[in-house]
């Protein structure tokens, strides 16, 4: 089947989801839910205005799944990529409407048969959601594998909690891919962003020396994350990193997607982690590895460790602005305008 292109109409009929009905083994919530729920979805790829509030069937938790009453969903750049059709090839067998969103915070209201015993109805949780299946996080109710759900960090509200998993798990995966020994130096571009900031904080917790980039007005912010050295961001970031490490750094996490511009900062034979799928090429024996957060969606231990680190203050949860879910199009416009420090969050309360 030929992948759809951005702007193509997604004309296939709306899928029929599982409706609420008595199912042996399912633990119900405290009250019967309506058959329809509100969600933010698109049926045509394009700009922010393709996002619409729609009514969809309320899903049921199947075996090994939990249903979450979503109160907050973070808005991430990957959501905009889904909206514009960048992932169309991955959804050729999934009919519209498409619901974006990879980060949800809320309360469990249903456990499916065989769901993890560590979770309970009424528990505040966060979930890492993969929206290339039937639905993403922009909905009043979502059903996700229990393994992708962990308790919300203690002391946080729903909006704060929603900013944790997708970006922090990406940062953790990037650092684990580099596998640098304690005391080694890692460079981080895009350090003021959500992934970049978490990467700096996790790298410091790992005992690494961190060189990070920043605009002049963000220098104090990046130092607050724990960066040992801060250089000016921009197209010459590699040269500035080399001023501190003349032989280059052994590893770099490219949070600002600078690709070829950032590779010269890496030492011969070093490692470069890309977050947007770039695979190189790079010279001098530099290894380029793209990482995808979907690969750790089932790593409950990793997700729960991030939750504990947020509770302990190792990770800083940053909310740029909370908007009503009905203002999702405006949230995507703000995201694309750039300059955010922290994540935009949609309120589904």
């Amino acid at each position: 089947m030929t992948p759809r292109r951005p702007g193509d109409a997604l004309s296939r009929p709306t899928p029929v989801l599982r409706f609420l009905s008595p199912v042996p083994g399912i633990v119900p919530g405290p009250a019967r839910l309506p058959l329809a729920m509100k969600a933010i979805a698109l049926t045509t790829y394009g700009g922010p205005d393709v996002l619409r509030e729609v009514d969809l069937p309320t899903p049921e938790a199947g075996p090994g799944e939990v249903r979450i009453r979503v109160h907050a969903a973070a808005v991430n750049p990957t959501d905009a990529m889904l909206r514009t059709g960048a992932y169309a090839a991955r959804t050729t067998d999934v009919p519209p409407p498409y619901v974006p969103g990879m980060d949800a915070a809320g309360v469990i209201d249903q456990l499916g048969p065989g769901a993890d015993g560590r979770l309970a109805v009424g528990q505040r949780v966060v979930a890492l959601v993969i929206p290339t299946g039937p639905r993403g996080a922009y909905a009043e109710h979502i059903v996700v594998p229990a393994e992708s759900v962990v308790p919300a960090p203690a002391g946080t509200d729903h909006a704060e909690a929603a900013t944790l998993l997708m970006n922090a798990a990406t940062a953790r995966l990037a650092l684990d891919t580099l596998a640098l020994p304690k005391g080694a130096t890692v460079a981080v571009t895009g350090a003021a962003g959500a992934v970049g900031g978490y990467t700096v904080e996790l790298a410091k917790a790992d005992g690494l020396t961190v060189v990070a980039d920043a605009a002049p007005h963000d220098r104090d912010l990046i130092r607050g994350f724990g960066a040992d050295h801060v250089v000016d961001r921009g197209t010459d970031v590699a040269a500035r990193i080399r001023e501190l490490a003349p032989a280059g750094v052994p590893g770099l996490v490219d949070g600002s997607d600078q690709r070829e511009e950032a590779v010269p900062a890496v030492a011969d034979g070093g490692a470069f982690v890309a977050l947007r799928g770039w695979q190189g090429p790079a010279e001098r024996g530099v290894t380029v590895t793209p990482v995808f957060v979907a690969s750790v969606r089932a790593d409950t231990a990793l997700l729960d460790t991030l939750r504990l680190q947020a509770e302990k203050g190792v990770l800083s949860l940053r909310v740029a602005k909370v908007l009503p879910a009905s203002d999702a199009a405006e949230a995507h416009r703000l995201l694309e305008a750039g300059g955010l420090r922290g994540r935009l969050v949609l309120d589904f309360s």
Side-chain angles (χ1 to χ4, degrees):
M1 182 177 293
T2 302
R4 300 188 189 95
R5 297 166 297 178
D8 287 350
L10 309 179
S11 58
R12 285 190 262 175
T14 301
V16 177
L17 299 184
R18 294 168 293 190
F19 282 81
L20 292 176
S21 60
V23 177
I26 284 190
V27 180
R32 185 173 179 81
L33 295 176
L35 294 180
M37 66 172 184
K38 296 293 183 184
I40 304 300
L42 57 133
T43 56
T44 301
Y45 294 126
D49 289 335
V50 303
L51 295 169
R52 295 282 189 273
E53 188 175 275
V54 299
D55 289 327
L56 293 175
T58 302
E60 277 187 355
E65 296 177 332
V66 301
R67 187 177 65 208
I68 299 171
R69 169 57 172 96
V70 176
H71 289 279
V75 178
N76 291 292
T78 189
D79 304 347
M81 294 174 70
L82 184 149
R83 190 201 75 227
T84 58
Y87 302 141
R90 304 181 194 176
T91 56
T92 53
D93 295 326
V94 181
Y98 296 143
V99 178
M102 296 188 69
D103 268 319
V107 177
I108 293 176
D109 69 1
Q110 191 181 69
L111 297 174
D116 197 323
R118 63 195 174 81
L119 302 172
V121 169
Q123 185 176 14
R124 288 187 64 241
V125 293
V126 288
L128 178 60
V129 187
I130 306 303
T132 50
R135 296 289 178 260
Y138 292 9
E140 288 181 323
H141 289 87
I142 60 171
V143 166
V144 291
E147 59 199 5
S148 301
V149 180
V150 296
T156 64
D157 60 27
H158 289 303
E160 292 167 335
T163 67
L164 174 62
L165 285 187
M166 186 266 185
N167 294 286
T170 301
R172 182 70 268 163
L173 180 58
L175 291 169
D176 289 349
T177 299
L178 292 178
L180 298 175
K182 186 175 181 179
T185 298
V186 63
V188 182
T189 68
V195 175
Y198 285 148
T199 302
V200 173
E201 291 181 321
L202 289 173
K204 290 304 300 176
D206 289 349
L208 301 177
T209 297
V210 178
V211 179
D213 69 347
H217 58 275
D218 284 327
R219 282 181 166 267
D220 288 344
L221 174 69
I222 306 307
R223 290 192 182 98
F225 293 153
D228 298 280
H229 307 282
V230 181
V231 300
D232 290 340
R233 71 175 186 177
T235 57
D236 59 351
V237 67
R240 296 186 182 279
I241 293 171
R242 284 272 182 165
E243 289 175 3
L244 293 170
V249 293
L252 183 145
V253 178
D254 190 20
S256 55
D257 197 33
Q258 290 188 243
R259 305 186 179 192
E260 296 93 343
E261 292 176 352
V263 169
V266 181
D268 294 358
F272 181 104
V273 168
L275 306 183
R276 298 287 182 88
W278 187 62
Q279 300 181 52
E283 300 177 346
R284 302 178 290 105
V286 174
T287 301
V288 177
T289 305
V291 297
F292 302 97
V293 73
S295 67
V296 295
R297 66 173 294 179
D299 192 339
T300 309
L302 182 152
L303 301 179
D304 202 45
T305 296
L306 296 172
R307 183 264 301 185
L308 292 170
Q309 288 180 304
E311 289 183 355
K312 295 175 181 177
V314 174
L315 294 172
S316 304
L317 306 183
R318 295 182 291 154
V319 177
K321 186 176 183 180
V322 179
L323 298 89
S326 56
D327 288 347
E330 174 62 14
H332 275 236
R333 282 190 284 269
L334 292 172
L335 179 71
E336 293 185 341
L340 297 170
R341 295 297 175 259
R343 281 285 173 244
L344 297 163
V345 177
L346 299 180
D347 180 6
F348 284 88
S349 299

